[in-house]
C-alpha cells in the first residue's frame, strides 16, 4: 500500500504527465494529471518501476480508458 513508499524517486522521472511530486513523507500523484500512462505507454510506468510495489489505483478516481486517453490528449494537446 502507499504508506510503504520509501521516497526512492524511481516513479517521478518516468511519469509522462509529471503527475508525481515529492510529498511528506510519501510521494503523491495528482489525479488531474494521471492518465495511468494511457496514451503514452502500455502500462503505468510508476507501478512498473516501484520497488516497494506500493502504488495502487485511487478508488476515488476511477476513469475509463477513453476518459484517460482524452485527459492525456488535453494535457499534451
Amino acid at each position: 500500500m502507499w504508506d510503504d513508499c520509501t521516497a526512492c524517486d524511481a516513479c517521478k522521472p518516468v511519469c509522462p504527465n509529471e503527475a508525481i511530486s515529492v510529498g511528506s513523507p510519501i510521494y503523491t500523484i495528482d489525479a488531474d494529471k494521471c492518465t495511468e500512462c494511457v496514451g503514452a505507454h502500455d502500462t503505468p510506468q510508476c507501478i512498473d518501476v516501484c520497488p516497494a510495489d506500493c502504488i495502487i489505483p485511487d478508488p476515488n478516481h476511477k476513469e475509463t480508458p477513453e476518459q484517460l486517453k482524452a485527459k492525456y490528449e488535453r494535457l499534451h494537446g
Side-chain angles (χ1 to χ4, degrees):
M1 177 114 7
W2 33 227
D3 54 351
D4 292 332
C5 177
T6 62
C8 70
D9 199 49
C11 59
K12 192 172 184 305
V14 299
C15 180
N17 304 320
E18 299 179 359
I20 301 172
S21 59
V22 178
S24 180
I26 62 172
Y27 281 45
T28 59
I29 299 173
D30 182 343
D32 292 332
K33 292 182 178 179
C34 179
T35 62
E36 298 176 22
C37 289
V38 170
H41 301 284
D42 292 334
T43 59
Q45 297 300 286
C46 60
I47 292 173
D48 288 350
V49 301
C50 181
D53 291 325
C54 64
I55 301 172
I56 57 170
D58 185 344
N60 297 319
H61 291 97
K62 291 186 183 229
E63 296 171 285
T64 67
E66 293 80 16
Q67 290 170 315
L68 293 168
K69 176 75 170 163
K71 185 192 310 185
Y72 179 82
E73 290 171 357
R74 277 193 311 276
L75 290 169
H76 295 277

